[in-house]
């Protein structure tokens, strides 16, 4: 899998992080979705990661993904920021995986 941060996403995440540090975790959330196939991807910056995480190198910050949820991702993933919507986006060349992805920073 190839994960790319866009210039806009890096600018926004660097501004939001300031001096805080943590691990980037792309989390597939299914609570309230009704079915595991209807999950939603969100971005977390966490001090500690849950078990079962796999580290993926990127063009900037490494991203951790639960190994069991990798099947829901395409081979190329792009983390972007849409200025007009004021939100992060998770997409691939084929589809939007979450066009309004939240970013939650611990601490």
């Amino acid at each position: 899998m190839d994960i790319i941060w866009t210039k806009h996403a890096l600018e926004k995440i660097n501004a939001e992080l300031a001096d805080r540090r943590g691990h980037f975790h792309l989390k597939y959330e299914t609570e309230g979705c009704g079915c595991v196939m209807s999950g939603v991807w969100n971005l977390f910056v966490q001090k500690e990661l849950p078990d079962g995480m796999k580290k993926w190198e990127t063009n900037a910050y490494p991203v951790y993904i639960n190994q069991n949820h990798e099947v829901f991702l395409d081979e190329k993933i792009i983390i972007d920021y849409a200025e007009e919507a004021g939100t992060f986006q998770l997409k691939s060349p084929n589809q939007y995986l979450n066009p309004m992805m939240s970013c939650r920073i611990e601490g």
Side-chain angles (χ1 to χ4, degrees):
M1 182 180 337
D2 193 19
I3 303 173
I4 306 292
W5 292 83
T6 66
K7 177 185 169 199
H8 295 297
L10 287 172
E11 288 170 354
K12 184 63 175 177
I13 202 69
N14 287 332
E16 287 190 15
L17 280 177
D19 294 339
R20 296 175 285 187
R21 296 286 174 248
H23 304 285
F24 288 91
H25 175 197
L26 264 179
K27 186 176 181 184
Y28 188 69
E29 298 184 294
T30 57
E31 188 174 323
C33 294
C35 171
V36 71
M37 299 301 289
S38 300
V40 176
W41 288 98
N42 285 302
L43 183 62
F44 291 80
V45 181
Q46 299 174 292
K47 295 181 190 299
E48 294 184 32
L49 293 167
D51 292 336
M53 296 291 109
K54 183 175 178 182
K55 181 179 181 180
W56 287 94
E57 294 298 334
T58 74
N59 63 323
Y61 300 109
V63 173
Y64 291 82
I65 302 169
N66 184 305
Q67 294 177 68
N68 296 327
H69 297 147
E70 290 176 7
V71 299
F72 300 114
L73 293 170
D74 292 340
E75 208 44 47
K76 182 175 182 181
I77 301 300
I78 301 161
I79 300 172
D80 199 0
Y81 185 77
E83 199 69 46
E84 62 280 356
T87 186
F88 287 91
Q89 297 179 327
L90 186 65
K91 56 189 177 181
S92 76
N94 301 319
Q95 64 181 323
Y96 279 92
L97 299 159
N98 187 350
M100 299 186 76
M101 182 171 69
S102 68
C103 178
R104 300 180 203 148
I105 301 172
E106 281 186 353

